[in-house]
Amino acid sequence: MSADVRILAAEPGCHLFPAEGAEGCGFTAPSTGMFFPDPWIEIPGTAGIDLYLVLLLIALGASLLLWSWFSKKLSLVPGRRQGVGEMFILFIRDQITRPTMGDKGDKFIPLMTGIFTLIVLMNITGLIPGMLPTNSDLSFPAMFALFIFVLTLVIGMRQQGGWGYIRNQIFPPGIPKPIYLLVTPIEFLSVFIIRPLTHALRLFATMFAGSLLLGVFAYGGWYMLSIGAQPALAAVSVLFSGAALIGYLLFFLFEILIMLVQAFIFTLLASLYLNGSIEAAK
């Protein structure tokens, strides 16, 4: 199945008002099947190379090129290129690591910067005509979330020991001991299961739903455009299709904002979780 959500059409000749002498057909909305495209390159004995792997490599390459460009010919007095890179790093420091972790979060700035940059670029691959956001495949947000989860475990256990870290997570201090019968199972589920699960699902679900909605606007506009119908109906179809196009463009711009916001939220939560692992050592 084609992954092109911009020009998706189940039946090329299917429109709201059929041409004179043609049989009408109903509207078939884009389905979740568009998120499972056929492999781009067939490799015998394997699943082949699919769209998402190609998009991941594009996003990763763009991220490396971007920061190589920012860091080229560094100087004490930054030029315009270096200044833009430093402004971006300061944004990560002042809006993510410092508010959540304080000064001790400065050592995590490179990590948070890399995560934010890569997620943004993986999201905006969905703005390339015929492509999808890389993070609309659950495996990629899941790997990001799993990485942060494992990192919090490693940091927490390194500072407190294995059982010490777990104890601080599931037995919050200052609570009467009988209440632990209720609190401990909730804390265990929250920290070790729900937290990494929702961390991945939040990013995935937003990218998935946004792409599906853009597909509905695109195919809906195409379906309502009936140039071959009777003149009066054709004129009405142009108005309908134009309204769908306006809706598509407005949501397209809104989706750009959502892509940036979701990358920010994912990185902010990652910083919060790491801070919780560090703070538990106190």
Side-chain angles (χ1 to χ4, degrees), residues 138-256:
L138 180 57
S139 59
F140 296 109
M143 289 305 299
F144 276 118
L146 180 61
F147 169 74
I148 295 299
F149 176 67
V150 172
L151 186 60
T152 59
L153 292 179
V154 171
I155 292 174
M157 292 182 179
R158 178 179 295 176
Q159 297 189 24
Q160 306 166 69
W163 170 243
Y165 172 73
I166 295 174
R167 183 184 62 243
N168 288 333
Q169 296 298 315
I170 65 177
F171 294 105
I175 297 178
K177 290 184 178 180
I179 304 299
Y180 282 127
L181 293 175
L182 175 64
V183 171
T184 296
I186 295 175
E187 288 297 319
F188 179 84
L189 288 174
S190 175
V191 173
F192 297 104
I193 297 178
I194 297 176
R195 178 187 292 178
L197 185 62
T198 56
H199 200 194
L201 288 178
R202 184 181 292 104
L203 176 60
F204 158 72
T206 307
M207 293 301 99
F208 185 93
S211 296
L212 191 59
L213 189 55
L214 281 174
V216 171
F217 272 111
Y219 183 34
W222 171 253
Y223 174 76
M224 288 186 286
L225 184 61
S226 308
I227 301 299
Q230 298 178 4
L233 295 177
V236 172
S237 76
V238 170
L239 293 177
F240 289 169
S241 183
L245 175 62
I246 293 173
Y248 172 83
L249 293 175
L250 291 176
F251 189 77
F252 184 86
L253 296 175
F254 181 67
E255 184 69 4
I256 296 175

